[in-house]
Amino acid sequence: MALRRLKKDDITELRSFAKPHPMVQDVSLCVVILKGGKDVTWKGAKAMMSDTQFLRSLIEFDKDGISDKQVKEVKGYFKDQSFNVDTVMGISQAGGGLLKWVAAIVAYNGVAKMVEPKRKAVATGEKMLRQAGKDLK
């Protein structure tokens, strides 16, 4: 996992930029959005990354707790074809690692949205089967 390769020093280096490359800044803003931050600016991103448990918070992130609004907002950044892991990785290893995390969370959300109705249908079917089995006795 990309986050496991990131070190606290990588995040410290990222935070040290007064004005980072626009793509690195955009990655950081995506993280702020997904984490539900209110200050979606570079200043807000730096504050978020200053938390000593920042990397752990990403690893333990509640990926099922994000809203459609958050996902839509983050997907807006991906409309720029150059906003991708390879490009950002060439600018900043930490930024590239964070973008891998962002992309994974967005992808997970899309899959979860497709699977959840199927899970509910299975649960309903199993409940009906159990009831039918009881009715037969």
Side-chain angles (χ1 to χ4, degrees), residues 15 21 23 48 57 72 90-92 137:
R15 274 191 0 245
H21 187 284
M23 284 194 191
M48 172 192 65
S57 76
K72 183 177 180 180
I91 299 164
S92 162
K137 290 182 180 180

Side-chain angles (χ1 to χ4, degrees), residues 39-93:
D39 186 3
V40 186
T41 64
W42 176 240
K43 181 180 176 185
K46 286 173 67 167
M48 172 192 65
M49 290 185 284
S50 68
D51 178 357
T52 58
Q53 297 298 312
F54 172 67
L55 287 173
R56 178 176 294 288
S57 76
L58 298 182
I59 292 168
E60 297 172 354
F61 184 72
D62 176 17
K63 56 195 171 292
D64 293 311
I66 58 175
S67 70
D68 291 339
K69 181 182 177 200
Q70 288 168 294
V71 172
K72 183 177 180 180
E73 199 171 342
V74 168
K75 280 184 174 181
Y77 288 91
F78 285 93
K79 288 180 181 175
D80 177 355
Q81 295 295 316
S82 62
F83 189 70
N84 61 61
V85 172
D86 292 334
T87 303
V88 175
M89 196 67 83
I91 299 164
S92 162
Q93 292 289 314

